[in-house]
Amino acid sequence: MSLRRLHTTNTPSLAPKNSNLLVPLIDSPLPSPVLPSIIPSHGKRPPGSGKRKAIRVCFWSLVIFILVRITFLFDFKAIPNTVQQWLSDRQTYLPSDVLPNTPAPIKLTNGHGREKWTISIPTQVGFPLSPPQITDLCTHCDEMSTQLSSGKFQPFDYSRPDRNFVDIAEARLDEFSSAKQPSNGDGNQSPICETSLTFVMQSEDAGLGKTLMQLWLSYGLAKKQGRSFFIDDTNWAYGDYSSFFKPPPKPACRPPPPSHRLPCPLQARHLVVSSANSKWIFGNSFKEYFGSSRASAPRQQKAIFEMARSGYEALFNLVGDDAKFLDHRIRELDRQVRGQGGLVIGLHVRRGDLHPLESQYRDSYIPLDKYANRAETLFETYLAQAASDEILQRAMKSYSRIVLASDDPDVYTASELRGAEKAQSYISLASKSALVAAQEANPRRGENAGWEGGFYKDLFWSLGVSSDSYFPKDSPLPTNQVPESPRSGGGDDTLPLDQLRFQPSKESLGLRELIGRAYLLDLAVLGQSDRVICGIGSASCRLLAVMMGWERAITREAWQNVDGSWNWAYTASG
């Protein structure tokens, strides 16, 4: 039989015992190596096992001996309490000194001498703190954090929380205060929020644009960090938040006691944000943490832009007649302009006490012809889209409009912007020259309170206040005092400036509300334009980009800045 037939046959591979057939050795597998057995042979123990057993016996004998000794020396039942007390001494921090009478950071010390810090806000101080109190408190937070960490941590660093800070809720300072925490007084029985952010609408610079930007960013920050969001308008110079906007979305929980709401540090469980500490909250660390330095210039602050956008979408909802007028105005522009093939170009001109960023205009204002020229350029670009359609081009030229908003009433009659129409005429600010003419026609009209040259904070704070009513004409108004608010009942005494600012008379508050409503309507109409031209030095200009949205304003360049070559960015100016 051949070798080939042997390999292909179906017979078993093993030959019968009596077979003389020889299988070639080349097909036989090599013998397997013999591995050492892991089972001890002949009942012998593996080497070293007796030594390990002796070590284990000695170890457990020592443990039993120690436990027996402890049992004789101490009451065995007291052992868990002793350990618990040792851990408690490490976790419980007591004030190093008597609690201060004013808001301040304080040191805490545990039973083992470890120092940390927290914020003490006496219950009698009330909420919210004044802007100077918030500024002072945040300054001292910086100092305390630096001192205890040897400069390793900062209270306003988003990327590195201060490990030495103990939240006021964990510090339980209420146990060391004789005053009882006041209740919220709203009868709300829902649980206290685990974490929150409260935006305090009070500002010393009177500007509404900065406040809106900080409000929207605060809302976006709260959403990013999973905090419940609240608004406090107790001392808002413009009155009640509900006079302008619908209330914000209501959380399912309630805010904590006032002394637990802190303006610093960033990691506080219940954070307070206002214009007084915005330079810390939205400072360099904020821009570095949420910004993107590797992105192209226009996109470096896209995440911050979107945070403000989320605040705009949730909070910018006008109420009452203003909301009805806005809806009517937008439908009018849709029907008369966009529906006919025209373009709505919005112009915002800020003057008053705010000057441009561009160096050559820093001491004056951006010339109005720069706005007009930019509008002309945008319109020509729009016309070029229909270069082959003469009928459409005629429609574009016939129906396109420029809508204008400014804090200076004289801008509306300027020759450079001839043909532009007001963004809205529902609430208009009169120029001083117009009021002078009206006063000459009717001398009994009284004091002239018109706007001359734009919005000035000093003029805003003086609305509704007549120095003649309280002081002789030759007697200057004190720099740090103002006449007593008429709603307080009159009298010869004077009130601190902040009290009149944040607790104005009924007349003053009415005038402030009108100014605020006019500003918001201007902003709302321009925010719905097809193109917007403005100066980035104004907070209103940045707000308009947010209202238009990233895709339309930045990507498609519908938002145009005429103040230098800067891209959209959040800065200290709003």
Side-chain angles (χ1 to χ4, degrees), residues 11 22 89 93 222 254 305 326 335 469 473 500:
T11 58
L22 297 177
D89 288 343
Y93 288 84
R254 58 192 171 96
F305 184 104
L326 175 61
R335 183 179 65 255
S469 302
K473 285 187 176 182
L500 185 71

Side-chain angles (χ1 to χ4, degrees), residues 246-317:
K246 293 179 181 179
K250 191 174 183 180
C253 54
R254 58 192 171 96
S259 64
H260 287 207
R261 288 188 268 184
L262 311 178
C264 56
L266 284 172
Q267 68 205 76
R269 184 178 298 177
H270 302 286
L271 186 65
V272 171
V273 181
S274 81
S275 62
N277 67 340
S278 63
K279 66 180 180 180
W280 283 285
I281 303 295
F282 302 122
N284 291 333
S285 178
F286 172 80
K287 287 180 281 190
E288 290 172 3
Y289 189 78
F290 292 105
S292 178
S293 58
R294 296 182 179 180
S296 58
R299 300 179 61 87
Q300 288 181 357
Q301 288 200 10
K302 183 180 179 182
I304 297 174
F305 184 104
E306 296 297 353
M307 289 170 68
R309 173 72 182 184
S310 69
Y312 160 71
E313 293 176 337
L315 304 175
F316 195 85
N317 298 298

Side-chain angles (χ1 to χ4, degrees), residues 162-370:
D162 189 343
R163 299 175 185 173
N164 295 319
F165 175 75
V166 178
D167 195 85
I168 194 168
E170 300 171 4
R172 300 193 295 274
L173 293 186
D174 300 340
E175 300 175 6
F176 306 97
S177 174
S178 59
K180 186 179 179 181
Q181 280 286 353
S183 63
N184 291 331
D186 56 3
N188 190 348
Q189 298 302 315
S190 56
I192 292 178
C193 301
E194 288 292 327
T195 180
S196 69
L197 187 152
T198 302
F199 184 78
V200 177
M201 300 191 73
Q202 61 183 6
S203 175
E204 292 187 304
D205 63 9
L208 188 50
K210 292 182 183 179
T211 300
L212 279 181
M213 180 62 80
Q214 292 163 7
L215 171 67
W216 297 351
L217 279 176
S218 296
Y219 180 89
L221 178 62
K223 297 299 109 178
K224 280 274 188 184
Q225 297 182 335
R227 298 175 180 264
S228 300
F229 182 76
F230 298 94
I231 292 175
D232 184 278
D233 60 357
T234 304
N235 294 327
W236 192 25
Y238 286 83
D240 297 332
Y241 182 87
S242 59
S243 298
F244 305 90
F245 304 106
K246 293 179 181 179
K250 191 174 183 180
C253 54
R254 58 192 171 96
S259 64
H260 287 207
R261 288 188 268 184
L262 311 178
C264 56
L266 284 172
Q267 68 205 76
R269 184 178 298 177
H270 302 286
L271 186 65
V272 171
V273 181
S274 81
S275 62
N277 67 340
S278 63
K279 66 180 180 180
W280 283 285
I281 303 295
F282 302 122
N284 291 333
S285 178
F286 172 80
K287 287 180 281 190
E288 290 172 3
Y289 189 78
F290 292 105
S292 178
S293 58
R294 296 182 179 180
S296 58
R299 300 179 61 87
Q300 288 181 357
Q301 288 200 10
K302 183 180 179 182
I304 297 174
F305 184 104
E306 296 297 353
M307 289 170 68
R309 173 72 182 184
S310 69
Y312 160 71
E313 293 176 337
L315 304 175
F316 195 85
N317 298 298
L318 302 184
V319 296
D321 293 338
D322 294 354
K324 294 177 182 178
F325 171 80
L326 175 61
D327 181 66
H328 168 76
R329 179 60 168 153
I330 298 304
R331 284 190 287 107
E332 179 184 56
L333 291 173
D334 286 341
R335 183 179 65 255
Q336 298 179 1
V337 182
R338 284 181 277 257
Q340 304 295 329
L343 185 73
V344 178
I345 299 178
L347 302 185
H348 181 270
V349 180
R350 175 67 160 93
R351 290 195 163 180
D353 52 13
L354 183 68
H355 294 281
L357 298 179
E358 197 169 359
S359 58
Q360 61 177 320
Y361 304 123
R362 194 162 292 171
D363 296 326
S364 57
Y365 301 109
I366 298 172
L368 295 180
D369 58 8
K370 287 198 67 173

Side-chain angles (χ1 to χ4, degrees), residues 246-535:
K246 293 179 181 179
K250 191 174 183 180
C253 54
R254 58 192 171 96
S259 64
H260 287 207
R261 288 188 268 184
L262 311 178
C264 56
L266 284 172
Q267 68 205 76
R269 184 178 298 177
H270 302 286
L271 186 65
V272 171
V273 181
S274 81
S275 62
N277 67 340
S278 63
K279 66 180 180 180
W280 283 285
I281 303 295
F282 302 122
N284 291 333
S285 178
F286 172 80
K287 287 180 281 190
E288 290 172 3
Y289 189 78
F290 292 105
S292 178
S293 58
R294 296 182 179 180
S296 58
R299 300 179 61 87
Q300 288 181 357
Q301 288 200 10
K302 183 180 179 182
I304 297 174
F305 184 104
E306 296 297 353
M307 289 170 68
R309 173 72 182 184
S310 69
Y312 160 71
E313 293 176 337
L315 304 175
F316 195 85
N317 298 298
L318 302 184
V319 296
D321 293 338
D322 294 354
K324 294 177 182 178
F325 171 80
L326 175 61
D327 181 66
H328 168 76
R329 179 60 168 153
I330 298 304
R331 284 190 287 107
E332 179 184 56
L333 291 173
D334 286 341
R335 183 179 65 255
Q336 298 179 1
V337 182
R338 284 181 277 257
Q340 304 295 329
L343 185 73
V344 178
I345 299 178
L347 302 185
H348 181 270
V349 180
R350 175 67 160 93
R351 290 195 163 180
D353 52 13
L354 183 68
H355 294 281
L357 298 179
E358 197 169 359
S359 58
Q360 61 177 320
Y361 304 123
R362 194 162 292 171
D363 296 326
S364 57
Y365 301 109
I366 298 172
L368 295 180
D369 58 8
K370 287 198 67 173
Y371 293 89
N373 293 338
R374 183 65 63 89
E376 183 67 22
T377 300
L378 290 177
F379 184 64
E380 292 297 334
T381 303
Y382 180 61
L383 285 179
Q385 298 174 2
S388 60
D389 192 333
E390 185 177 347
I391 297 177
L392 181 56
Q393 279 197 337
R394 281 203 301 266
M396 290 178 175
K397 291 179 180 179
S398 300
Y399 294 102
S400 293
R401 293 187 191 177
I402 294 177
V403 294
L404 172 65
S406 177
D407 60 330
D408 183 359
D410 290 330
V411 169
Y412 295 111
T413 59
S415 59
E416 295 91 338
L417 300 177
R418 188 186 306 108
E421 64 180 58
K422 287 186 176 182
Q424 59 85 24
S425 300
Y426 186 64
I427 303 175
S428 297
L429 301 178
S431 66
K432 198 172 184 69
S433 57
L435 290 180
V436 167
Q439 190 174 34
E440 290 175 352
N442 183 8
R444 302 176 65 181
R445 285 181 58 92
E447 186 176 359
N448 183 344
W451 294 93
E452 186 175 22
F455 183 93
Y456 292 89
K457 63 180 181 180
D458 292 337
L459 177 58
F460 175 84
W461 293 125
S462 67
L463 286 172
V465 178
S466 176
S467 59
D468 291 345
S469 302
Y470 301 91
F471 295 93
K473 285 187 176 182
D474 297 334
S475 176
L477 193 66
T479 57
N480 63 340
Q481 291 182 320
V482 294
E484 186 173 359
S485 173
R487 72 176 178 178
S488 65
D492 296 331
D493 297 333
T494 58
L495 297 177
L497 183 57
D498 283 346
Q499 188 166 346
L500 185 71
R501 287 182 175 181
F502 301 131
Q503 297 179 14
S505 68
K506 185 176 181 179
E507 180 184 8
S508 296
L509 188 58
L511 292 172
R512 293 179 184 182
E513 286 183 357
L514 281 175
I515 291 171
R517 289 171 57 198
Y519 172 79
L520 294 175
L521 281 175
D522 283 341
L523 215 60
V525 173
L526 291 185
Q528 298 296 318
S529 302
D530 299 308
R531 307 287 189 274
V532 166
I533 302 170
C534 56

